[in-house]
Amino acid sequence: EKRTVTHIEKNGYPDSIYMNAAKIFQGIRTEKNKDTILVRYGDTSESPVMTFKDEQSRRVSYELAFNALKYQGLLEEMLVDSKTYPCYSIPDELTSLLVVMLFDLQDRKFKKRKIFDEEELVAEVQEIENYLYRYICKNKLAGALARCRIKYDALSIEYLMPETIRKHEQRASALPVCVWINTFKISLEDVIRHLEMKGLRKVESVSDFDHYTYAVDQHCHDVLVFPSSLREELLNLDLFADCKLLLQ
């Protein structure tokens, strides 16, 4: 059966996403003891000013920041091991941006991101990106990641995050995705029509799930439930971008 829901490729984000994610990360990062500090971050006393283009930009910015937080220890070790850090031309205030962009780079297997013509470029992001690419070209960052995996006998990067977080991630990834229908903007019938056009099939309950299926909650008829494997594809639908569907 032909499906129209497509896999979302990882091509990177607009500069504004990296800036907002760095500001979020700066406020939530784990503080280290003085004797265990690997990298230094700038002052966090002032609340950052963030401007989000839309709700999807807000979601992606927070997601990127929290992903960097989960792997903060690994990312810092990679920077030091590869000799990417310290860099005296980059101030401490941009260290959060450096860490956030490094996470995204390794998540994309160190491939260059796609930049669109209409994208508004940010000088700080361009500076950090160009700096990181110099070390990618020399295979130093990929080498540092490989050495970390060998050092900790890790099958994949997921095994390098703290154990408590990894167990939480495993539990969360198995849970179905629950979505509210914003009935001020769209009806259940219109949502169903839209999902059918995208190749999704309605089933009676969670026990009937295949990959491209969903069910209406038996108790709340403005709530839809999807398999956990569809999370990323769902969040890139126009229904989410227009806030017609809201992730629970």
Side-chain angles (χ1 to χ4, degrees):
E1 182 181 356
K2 186 178 179 181
R3 302 294 187 183
T4 57
V5 179
T6 56
H7 176 68
I8 304 302
E9 296 244 347
K10 294 178 178 177
N11 291 321
Y13 305 103
D15 286 16
S16 59
I17 297 289
Y18 292 115
M19 287 302 298
N20 284 329
K23 291 174 183 177
I24 296 166
F25 177 79
Q26 179 79 339
I28 62 175
R29 63 182 174 78
T30 302
E31 294 279 357
K32 304 281 184 74
N33 294 327
K34 288 185 178 181
D35 55 345
T36 60
I37 288 176
L38 292 178
V39 302
R40 298 188 179 279
Y41 297 87
D43 180 33
T44 59
S45 58
E46 294 185 11
S47 298
V49 177
M50 289 178 285
T51 303
F52 299 102
K53 179 181 176 183
D54 50 35
E55 188 58 34
Q56 186 179 23
S57 297
R58 180 191 298 272
R59 176 183 63 80
V60 171
S61 298
Y62 275 92
E63 187 177 81
L64 181 55
F66 275 92
N67 278 333
L69 176 66
K70 287 187 292 188
Y71 294 101
Q72 180 181 338
L74 168 65
L75 297 168
E76 291 177 350
E77 191 168 342
M78 284 176 62
L79 287 171
V80 173
D81 181 87
S82 65
K83 305 294 191 294
T84 309
Y85 185 93
C87 173
Y88 300 104
S89 65
I90 296 177
D92 290 347
E93 286 72 25
L94 291 182
T95 301
S96 287
L97 182 60
L98 184 66
V99 170
V100 163
M101 294 190 72
L102 176 58
F103 170 81
D104 180 57
L105 266 176
Q106 68 76 32
D107 197 39
R108 290 185 280 115
K109 311 299 182 188
F110 300 103
K111 294 179 181 177
K112 284 197 171 186
R113 67 178 171 129
K114 184 177 181 180
I115 297 180
F116 298 95
D117 292 338
E118 67 274 12
E119 182 180 330
E120 185 176 343
L121 301 180
V122 178
E124 292 88 345
V125 173
Q126 298 297 305
E127 178 186 358
I128 296 295
E129 185 170 50
N130 291 334
Y131 177 69
L132 286 172
Y133 277 137
R134 271 182 263 157
Y135 285 83
I136 292 171
C137 292
K138 297 176 183 177
N139 292 322
K140 290 191 174 183
L141 286 169
L145 177 57
R147 285 189 291 276
C148 285
R149 287 180 57 183
I150 293 169
K151 177 181 177 181
Y152 298 107
D153 194 23
L155 295 173
S156 67
I157 187 176
E158 285 76 19
Y159 287 89
L160 293 171
M161 74 170 76
E163 175 120 10
T164 53
I165 298 177
R166 190 170 78 248
K167 288 182 177 179
H168 176 77
E169 291 274 300
Q170 290 171 345
R171 287 195 298 268
S173 65
L175 293 174
V177 178
C178 294
V179 169
W180 289 95
I181 299 172
N182 184 353
T183 53
F184 289 104
K185 290 192 170 187
I186 195 169
S187 66
L188 170 62
E189 292 73 23
D190 286 339
V191 170
I192 290 175
R193 274 196 293 273
H194 187 97
L195 294 175
E196 286 177 348
M197 288 172 60
K198 292 294 182 181
L200 288 152
R201 178 171 56 88
K202 181 173 173 287
V203 296
E204 289 302 314
S205 69
V206 173
S207 59
D208 300 320
F209 274 172
D210 187 2
H211 182 53
Y212 287 101
T213 51
Y214 69 95
V216 178
D217 188 274
Q218 296 178 1
H219 303 289
C220 301
H221 293 164
D222 57 351
V223 173
L224 302 179
V225 187
F226 297 85
S228 58
S229 58
L230 275 179
R231 175 184 291 269
E232 290 303 316
E233 294 176 47
L234 287 172
L235 293 175
N236 284 280
L237 292 177
D238 291 340
L239 291 173
F240 280 91
D242 298 336
C243 295
K244 293 176 180 177
L245 290 182
L246 305 170
L247 184 66
Q248 171 62 42

